[in-house]
Amino acid sequence: MRKRILFKIVAPFVVALGAASCDGDEGNTCGGPTPEERARNQAVFDALAPSCQGCHITGARGYFASIEAFESLVVYNPAVVVPGKPDGSELIRLLEGKGTGAFKQMPIAGPPFAEIAASGSTKMTMAQIREWVTNLESRTADPLPSIEARRITRLSAEDVGRALYQQLGLSDDDFYIAASAFDIPHKTSQNDDLYPFTSPDSIPAPYENLPVERFAALGGGSAPNQMKADGTVSPSFLGMITQLAQRWCGLALDKSGNTALLPAGASVQTGSADAASVKSVIRAWYLHFHAVDATDADVDRVFSTVFVPLEMEKDARNAYVGTCSYFIRHPDWIFY
């Protein structure tokens, strides 16, 4: 009851504050663009993307990573576009080869966009882009966080690699050997059955392409390779994280002297007959993988519904591998 009363008291103030934050001078509204504005912005995005996306699809200057990024970083950024004033907009100056900043033109190599457009090789002319800026309505970013913003996000491909290496006690040495070609150092896979994955931007770079394909399946991006990072929970991500979890858990448990998962002296042959020992491992893995101090009920549930059935299916080692994989594939590990 107290929470409901508090909500009734606070909610009107939150709504009022939100409304106040969006008030401003006429023609200087905040919030997202209207559907009509989005359509016009999308047309410009589509026209510029072929010339700009190669360098600006990822990273700090990922202006063309998405229409949302384009609008946030370019369209409604007064340092780049001044609504109603094409001659005062750095974007127009860059496209016409008259930039006043670090770069004089875009794209930086070859003729500027205006010359490319003049040859009829683009979807829009410079006159049309200038008209778009002239008719553009100014918008101010709302200082309040959006109630529709995501509260959680999943681990990136890079995060997955770092976390698994640390939590499973693995490293590049378990998957690659040092090599070189024409005196250029790289790393080559010891055995692709180990399911290595790595970014194409890593140093040393991978020699084979399969580790890079796995990295891409996890949503990894690469500026040099023009691979856009994908932070969604896609089918390829789910399929790849499942395969990696199974294979790498087995590799970690079998690695000699590795105490990342099992304490020194413990064995993957210790099965459910010694329930106390197995439950001790499960409790430790809750803290290890999920940073959670598990309850007895949590431990009993994983023991009875995950470990024991997998052991009955084959053996104790199979149960440890599957239980380890369970913790990695769990939403509490994937999301933060």
Side-chain angles (χ1 to χ4, degrees):
M1 177 65 71
R2 183 180 179 184
K3 289 183 179 179
R4 295 178 65 181
I5 293 174
L6 182 62
F7 175 78
K8 290 180 180 179
I9 295 174
V10 173
F13 289 96
V14 173
V15 172
L17 183 59
S21 69
C22 285
D23 286 340
D25 298 333
E26 185 177 354
N28 187 28
T29 59
C30 72
T34 65
E36 293 76 15
E37 291 172 329
R38 169 58 62 83
R40 291 192 289 270
N41 296 342
Q42 184 71 57
V44 176
F45 176 91
D46 293 339
L48 296 178
S51 299
C52 306
Q53 206 167 39
C55 296
H56 297 296
I57 196 170
T58 63
R61 294 184 173 86
Y63 309 123
F64 287 84
S66 65
I67 181 61
E68 292 81 8
F70 179 65
E71 289 176 336
S72 175
L73 301 174
V74 177
V75 180
Y76 300 120
N77 180 357
V80 181
V81 175
V82 181
K85 299 179 180 179
D87 289 329
S89 299
E90 186 65 14
L91 174 65
I92 298 298
R93 290 194 287 263
L94 284 169
L95 296 179
E96 294 180 344
K98 305 172 185 176
T100 59
F103 298 99
K104 300 303 177 185
Q105 68 173 60
M106 287 293 163
I108 58 175
F113 179 86
E115 292 184 20
I116 300 174
S119 69
S121 301
T122 60
K123 294 181 179 180
M124 295 184 78
T125 65
M126 275 306 305
Q128 290 174 312
I129 295 177
R130 279 179 159 273
E131 182 182 6
W132 165 71
V133 174
T134 300
N135 297 327
L136 187 66
E137 183 177 351
S138 176
R139 289 192 174 274
T140 303
D142 192 337
L144 294 178
S146 170
I147 61 173
E148 298 178 354
R150 290 191 300 175
R151 269 59 169 184
I152 61 172
T153 188
R154 76 159 175 83
L155 295 176
S156 67
E158 293 85 354
D159 292 334
V160 169
R162 284 190 291 266
L164 289 181
Y165 269 15
Q166 181 180 28
Q167 293 180 330
L168 298 181
L170 302 174
S171 69
D172 264 9
D173 293 338
D174 295 301
F175 299 94
Y176 305 98
I177 56 175
S180 66
F182 302 102
D183 294 327
I184 300 175
H186 62 261
K187 55 187 180 185
T188 187
S189 299
Q190 297 181 26
N191 183 348
D192 197 65
D193 288 342
L194 300 178
Y195 291 1
F197 82 90
T198 188
S199 166
D201 304 345
S202 63
I203 299 175
Y207 184 75
E208 294 85 6
N209 196 49
L210 280 175
V212 174
E213 291 181 6
R214 294 190 183 98
F215 178 79
L218 290 169
S222 167
N225 288 14
Q226 297 186 24
M227 290 165 47
K228 182 179 177 181
D230 179 9
T232 64
V233 185
S234 63
S236 63
F237 173 84
L238 293 174
M240 186 51 58
I241 196 67
T242 299
Q243 295 176 29
L244 287 173
Q246 289 287 126
R247 190 66 183 90
W248 286 24
C249 280
L251 182 63
L253 288 165
D254 293 339
K255 183 177 179 180
S256 178
N258 185 15
T259 58
L261 293 178
L262 296 178
S267 170
V268 292
Q269 303 306 319
T270 302
S272 58
D274 187 353
S277 295
V278 174
K279 289 182 180 181
S280 176
V281 170
I282 293 174
R283 186 181 299 277
W285 284 0
Y286 260 107
L287 191 61
H288 185 67
F289 288 110
H290 297 171
V292 170
D293 189 5
T295 65
D296 291 341
D298 291 332
V299 174
D300 290 341
R301 177 181 54 80
V302 174
F303 176 76
S304 61
T305 64
V306 180
F307 188 92
V308 172
L310 289 172
E311 182 186 31
M312 293 176 63
E313 181 181 283
K314 189 175 182 181
D315 55 26
R317 179 191 175 279
N318 183 63
Y320 280 107
V321 171
T323 304
C324 169
S325 173
Y326 160 83
F327 279 101
I328 292 171
R329 293 180 289 108
H330 196 283
D332 285 351
W333 192 87
I334 293 174
F335 296 97
Y336 66 92

